[in-house]
Each structure stands twice: as C-alpha cells, then as structure tokens.
Amino acid sequence: MLGVTIKQVAKAAGVAPSTVSRVIADHPRISTATKKRVKKAMKEMGYHPNANARNLANRSTQSIGVVMPTSADKALQNPFFPEVLRGISAVAHHLDYSLLLSTGETDEEMQEGVERMVYSNRVDGIILLYSQIDDPVVNFLLEQDFPFVVVGKPSERVDEITHVDNDNVRAGKDITSHLINLGHENIGFIGGSQDRIVTIDRMRGYELALKEAGLPFLKDYRIHTEFLKSGGRQAVHELFSIPDPPTGLVIADDLMSIGVVNMLEEFGKRVPQDVSIVSFNNVYLSEVTRPPLTTVDIHIYQLGSQAAKCLIEKVKDRSEPAKRIIIPYEIKHRASATEKEASSKV
Amino acid sequence: MLGVTIKQVAKAAGVAPSTVSRVIADHPRISTATKKRVKKAMKEMGYHPNANARNLANRSTQSIGVVMPTSADKALQNPFFPEVLRGISAVAHHLDYSLLLSTGETDEEMQEGVERMVYSNRVDGIILLYSQIDDPVVNFLLEQDFPFVVVGKPSERVDEITHVDNDNVRAGKDITSHLINLGHENIGFIGGSQDRIVTIDRMRGYELALKEAGLPFLKDYRIHTEFLKSGGRQAVHELFSIPDPPTGLVIADDLMSIGVVNMLEEFGKRVPQDVSIVSFNNVYLSEVTRPPLTTVDIHIYQLGSQAAKCLIEKVKDRSEPAKRIIIPYEIKHRASATEKEASSKV
DNA sequence: AGCAATAACCAAAACGTTTTGGAAAGCTAG
DNA sequence: CTAGCTTTCCAAAACGTTTTGGTTATTGCT
C-alpha cells in the first residue's frame, strides 16, 4: 500500500499528526501507551515517512554526495573505486545516510555535478575521491563553506580541509628502501598523471629514499604516463635502453605494475629475476597475478569508511574542526621483488 | 549566497512566486518581458531551486537508484562496476537525473536498502546491477509495481521485466566454437557462482557448442568457484590431474582468467602453448596482461547507458511495456588462444 | 462604444513532514 | 477545594516549491 501519509495514520490511531511524528522520533513527551497504539497503526497501514517531506521540513537530506572522476585517468577502471565505495557505503548505511553519486568525464562536468548537488540542497556533504592540483571543485566548496572531505591529500590549504589519506611519502620511501635493501641501486619510478597528488607524494618518497641511500635521483629513471598502452610501452622501452637500465622499479599503482610486468617480459626482461617491482594499493589482483606483487596495502576500505565517518560528523556538527586522518599502510612482501641477482653484479 | 527562495526572487522582480516558477519551467503563459526581468533577478541573487521542495510538490525525485552487490562475489572488485556506472551516469546526467547508490554486504542489507529507497520515495526507479536466481528484491519490486530494470537476465518472469543484457548463451557458444575451430577437443569451463544467471547462460552456450561439435559435456571439466584463491587453486589443480586434461578453457570472467593463467604456469602449463584460454568482458586489463586475453567484449558501458535510458523512459511513462535490450558483443582475438599444438597431438 | 476573448499575472492550496506554542487533564500539596 | 505542576496531546505554522482557479488588463470585433 503506497502513499500512506502521516495524517491517515494519525486519524486511524485517533491522534494528531504531530503525535505520530513524535512517535517516529521516539520523543519522550509521548506516553508509552499511545506510542504502542500509533506504532500498531503504522505497521498495519504500512506507513513509511516520505523522505522528501521530511528533508524539506528538516532542511537536511540525510545523504552525502560522492564525486568520482572518470576517464581523466583511464586507469580508473581501477578496483580502487568499488572498494572505497564499499567503505563509504558501509558507514553511510549504518548511520542512515544515502549516497548520491556524481561522476563526470571532464573537469567541467564534475564541477557542474557538484554545483548541482550543493545549490539544490541535494546533499548534506560531499566526499571527493580524488585530489589534484589547483582543483576548482575544492575552491568552490571552500568558498561555499560546504562540508566536504577528500580522500587523498589536498594540494592546497591542507589545514583547512579535512582529508583521509595514507602517508604516501613515507610509504613511497619505505617501499623504495625495501628495494634498496635488496641490493638494488638503479631504481626507476613509473607513475600516473603528475597532477595527482598521490603520484607526487609517492614519487617524493622514492626520491627521499634514494637521497638517503646516496643514490642519484635521475630524470631518465622516471616515467609519467596516464595510461599503459602505446605511450607507456614506448616509455618503458626507452627506460630500458639507457646505458644503466634499472634493476628495480617503483610503480605508483598495482594495475600499472601488471602492465609493466608484461611489457618487460616482452622485451626479454623477467620479473623478478632481471627486474624487481614494487607498487601500491594491494588490490585483489596483485595477489593472484604472476608474479604476485610486493605492494603497499593502503587499506582502501578504511580510507572510505573513515572519510564517511568524518564527513557525517562534520555535517552533524558544523563546528568540527578540519581533521587529517592518516590510515596506516602495510607492505605486503610477495615475489615480485627479490635480491639483486649476482648475475648483474658480475 | 545560499538559501535564496523563490519568494525573495519574486519580490525582487516584482512578481508573484508562481510567476517565477513558470519562468523556470519556461511556461508560455509568461510574457518575454517578465521572463527576462525575472531571469535577471534570479541570476543576480544567485537563485537555485531547492530540489527537495520541488520534488515534494512534484511527487517525483529526479533520481534513480543503483543497486550494486558487493562481497557476495568478491570478484566484484571487478572493473565491470566503474564501467557500467560510467554508462549509467552519462545518460542520467544528460537527462538531469541523479544517482542514488545502494550496496550491501549481504542479501538482507541489499533488500533493506531497496525497501528504503522505494518506501520513502527517494527514487523514481531502480537499476539492478546483478541478477540471480529467485531474487527477493526483484519480487519485491514487481509486487510494488515499482519501475526497475536489471542489467543481466532476470531468472524468472523474463517477459515482465525490462532488462539489458548480452546474448550470453550465444556469446558462450561462439567463443567455445572458436576454441573448437582452433582444434581443441578437451575444453573445460570455469565459472563463478552458479546462482548468477550470467554464469549459467555462458555455460549453456559452452554446452551447446560442445554438443554441436559432437564433443562430450563432462562434469569433470567444469569448475564453479566464487573466488580464486585457495579453493580455486585446488580445483584447477584437480582439473588438470584427470586423465585427459583440457587443452582449452572457457572462463566466465577476465579477472578469473588472469588468476587461472598464473595458476597454470605454476603447475607447469603455459598459456597458450599448452592451454588456450578464452573469457568474457574485455576489461581494460585483458589487453595489457600477458598473454593478452582472447575475450568477448560485452560493451559494458552500453549495458549501463541503455539500462539508464530504458529506466528513465519507463519512469516518465509508466505505461511503457517491458523491454528486452540485447547489446551486441564482439570477440577480441588476442594471444591467449591459439591452435592446438602439434605437440599434444603426437 | 461595448462585449467577448485572450493575455498576463496573482493568491492560495497542496505536497508530507517537523516543530512551536499552547491547552486540557491529571496530579500534588497546602 | 484550589493553586501550581506535570504530563500528554493538539492546532497551526513552517519548509520551498508547483499548480489550480481566478482576476485584472488588453486586445479584437461588431
């Protein structure tokens, strides 16, 4: 039976609509007896409050917007997204919030989507699933003083923006050091778009580790490519044509690693025998691919769940200060990175 | 400037709120002169209609619910989802609809989420991103006469439910025939949960192709596994321990293929030299993995965009009949499947 | 000039809730 | 028995739109 209103329930239970409302909210000003009576009526009539009316009266929507980039980086067929959504969804569901998804092929579309959500009061807060340099969306949200959190590290005004991130610099450094400890001295870096903060941070970690070990930070050892097809193959080929080709590779994303492993084998290099590889994210695949990847598990699910938690706190209490939540990471040691072979030392 | 209402605009423009409303709807009963005046006022004051109020008055929400399963099949870290979401999102955005996401770890949670969306009038229609046998959610939606479409083939009442699918039986048959044409006679099948219609259909196609070619449809040649870790490895091992192990494998999903390729090589079997592999979906990875996978491109994006289109049509005109939309598929020939080696014939 | 028809607008009701400000009824204490 | 409190409930306003049913100018026709 659809379209039962609070008035009908009230009439059936012989009370005023306001009383029904209070019963729903479990307000103490209603006696247990009437509560029971009203609840019975609700159940019998199959009453369910209308979310729109409720939200209108409350000036709140009980829903949060999730902004997901898309084709910019095609690598965003990345399992990262389902996983982070899982995390967000879990806590949202638990706290009775709905998720409004917004995606866009271009930056303009994304901006547009966010504006729509904000202007038309469709959501109480927003989670940004990406972070890039000089993002107009972030500026817009700050300007509007609209609650939002970003998953990743904002490029500017870091202290004013609550965000949930890994310590990607340290992770980058740790994983690079791991390679160094395995005896590698020529270590390359392959990352995605240089506009993404996550790429930048991981590369900085890589740089720090090299410096600390007294190894040179060479331009020739770095590749930035949006996507792993034609362009990527070319770049990898060049990387291994230089006089001192790397024997270790730090790669910003597991998915890229898989592509790189295969390119390498195409060029006659084997992983890990000739080249050791480490990367980031620990998506499901990195465990079943061959070789299994040594990778930094960044706890994607937690990134999502914490982001949702923070955002909802902020929404409920606008005076909550900007926070910074760092999710711990964990290196998964698998077969893709091994000690530098004696062969190359000879 | 947030919270500008239609009344304020009306006052500023010297008209009644209803007139402003009509201007927004571009109603012909308003003169061009006033329209201009009102529009100017709207722009100056930064007016944006409140979605909630609007929806309440209209008894519609301009948004559609998307139901995504999660951990049931852990393989649902599958790139399939971002991609189908992209398709849905594109047309939804284009037609000015928002997306409300609902996921759940368990079947009960999903059911609960759907009920919430329906009962509280949060969405105008629903897209189901999965299809399984005897699904309570489908029954619920049918019972409520609530507009919905499923991506995939419903298990029952197929004619009453509009759905967007590939012809998975034919696809399964075609791709299996391809293997047969390459000279393979011992062909196995590896699929996910037997509750998913997609698995069933693809396997039926596999069966048909075998029958047509006069090859036996053996129980020993089939594996059903939810997930590719421990259990899967075990099953694959057994499959290749039987007297006449397969030289060809039809696998229900690219992601699984990747896992299987690696298991096989672990057991000393090489792809495609010893075993040819074909699978489904043509996700991004299947092109960059090694060997690149021969796979059925099911046009995931289109599955999403057509589903959204259908649903919105149905929402706008409830009398639209149930439809069945079949998205064409296309076999991508890559290196994972080759002619059966002379070696094994000798 | 006078009447009907049309164009342009407005006032008020409706959508389904929550919330505010009381009012009635029941109790306690003097 | 009455003044003052509680307890329990209700009527009405508010949320920001859309839509219905008019009302007033304006125009067209004779």
Side-chain angles (χ1 to χ4, degrees), chain A residues 78-80 83 86 254-255 258 280-289 292-293 295 297 300 334, chain B residues 73-79 225-230 232 253-260 262-263 285:
Chain A
N78 203 312
F80 178 84
E83 184 66 4
R86 248 187 74 219
D254 287 340
L255 244 53
I258 296 179
F280 295 83
N281 287 12
N282 191 33
V283 297
Y284 152 62
L285 267 174
S286 46
E287 194 169 348
V288 302
T289 195
L293 303 175
T295 184
D297 186 341
I300 301 177
R334 302 209 186 91
Chain B
D73 224 314
K74 179 88 176 192
L76 300 192
Q77 275 198 14
N78 203 312
T225 170
E226 303 260 334
F227 192 38
L228 276 178
K229 298 217 212 144
S230 37
D253 184 297
D254 287 341
L255 244 54
M256 288 189 152
S257 277
I258 297 179
V260 171
N262 299 318
M263 289 179 200
L285 266 175

Side-chain angles (χ1 to χ4, degrees), chain B residues 33-284:
Chain B
T34 16
K35 267 187 194 166
K36 240 179 214 160
R37 191 152 41 95
V38 172
K39 273 182 188 160
K40 191 168 150 242
M42 294 198 308
K43 187 150 282 177
E44 281 177 7
M45 310 180 65
Y47 170 73
H48 293 270
N50 177 307
N52 264 319
R54 186 183 263 234
N55 294 340
L56 180 58
N58 283 335
R59 281 163 228 72
S60 100
T61 66
Q62 289 289 319
S63 57
I64 68 192
V66 176
V67 180
M68 207 167 102
T70 45
S71 54
D73 224 314
K74 179 88 176 192
L76 300 192
Q77 275 198 14
N78 203 312
F80 179 84
F81 287 95
E83 184 67 3
V84 73
L85 277 178
R86 247 187 75 219
I88 294 173
S89 171
V91 351
H93 184 89
H94 184 245
L95 298 174
D96 261 306
Y97 274 74
S98 303
L99 296 186
L100 209 62
L101 203 66
S102 174
T103 79
E105 300 290 317
T106 68
D107 282 3
E108 293 75 45
E109 270 185 37
M110 289 180 34
Q111 166 102 19
E112 204 181 294
V114 171
E115 283 181 4
R116 249 173 44 131
M117 290 206 224
V118 172
Y119 282 141
S120 47
N121 283 98
R122 243 178 255 270
V123 299
D124 294 342
I126 286 186
I127 298 181
L128 259 31
L129 290 192
Y130 68 96
S131 171
Q132 60 191 12
I133 286 184
D134 202 18
D135 184 11
V137 171
V138 167
N139 292 329
F140 171 75
L141 290 170
L142 278 174
E143 201 174 283
Q144 299 283 330
D145 194 25
F146 197 83
F148 73 103
V149 342
V150 354
V151 172
K153 193 172 76 180
S155 68
E156 287 133 356
R157 311 223 241 164
V158 180
D159 302 327
E160 307 168 42
I161 300 173
T162 116
H163 57 283
V164 180
D165 196 11
N166 308 105
D167 186 340
N168 276 309
V169 176
R170 202 156 62 78
K173 189 177 163 201
D174 276 10
I175 195 80
T176 307
S177 296
H178 174 59
L179 235 33
I180 296 172
N181 291 337
L182 288 173
H184 296 275
E185 294 180 345
N186 300 328
I187 301 177
F189 179 90
I190 301 184
S193 163
Q194 304 206 50
D195 289 340
R196 320 293 288 213
I197 309 297
V198 58
T199 308
I200 299 176
D201 278 0
R202 288 174 181 173
M203 188 170 76
R204 267 199 48 221
Y206 156 80
E207 180 181 359
L208 287 177
L210 292 185
K211 290 233 165 103
E212 198 174 287
L215 297 173
F217 177 58
L218 300 174
K219 183 128 203 264
D220 284 350
Y221 274 4
R222 282 170 293 165
I223 297 181
H224 285 279
T225 170
E226 303 260 334
F227 192 38
L228 276 178
K229 298 217 212 144
S230 37
R233 167 165 283 112
Q234 178 61 20
V236 171
H237 187 67
E238 279 168 18
L239 176 55
F240 283 87
S241 308
I242 61 179
D244 262 324
T247 64
L249 238 34
V250 177
I251 303 179
D253 184 297
D254 287 341
L255 244 54
M256 288 189 152
S257 277
I258 297 179
V260 171
V261 167
N262 299 318
M263 289 179 200
L264 287 179
E265 308 222 348
E266 218 170 80
F267 304 150
K269 300 269 185 183
R270 306 191 52 196
V271 178
Q273 293 85 338
D274 302 321
V275 183
S276 278
I277 280 185
V278 297
S279 52
F280 295 83
N281 287 14
N282 191 33
V283 297
Y284 152 65

Side-chain angles (χ1 to χ4, degrees), chain A residues 155-187:
Chain A
S155 68
E156 288 133 355
R157 312 223 238 163
V158 182
D159 302 328
E160 306 168 43
I161 300 174
T162 116
H163 57 284
V164 181
D165 196 13
N166 309 103
D167 186 339
N168 277 309
V169 175
R170 203 156 60 81
K173 190 178 162 197
D174 276 7
I175 195 82
T176 307
S177 296
H178 174 59
L179 235 33
I180 295 173
N181 290 338
L182 288 174
H184 296 275
E185 294 179 346
N186 300 327
I187 301 177

Side-chain angles (χ1 to χ4, degrees), chain A residues 10 26 69 86 112 297 316:
Chain A
D26 201 24
R86 248 187 74 219
E112 207 181 292
D297 186 341
K316 287 192 171 156

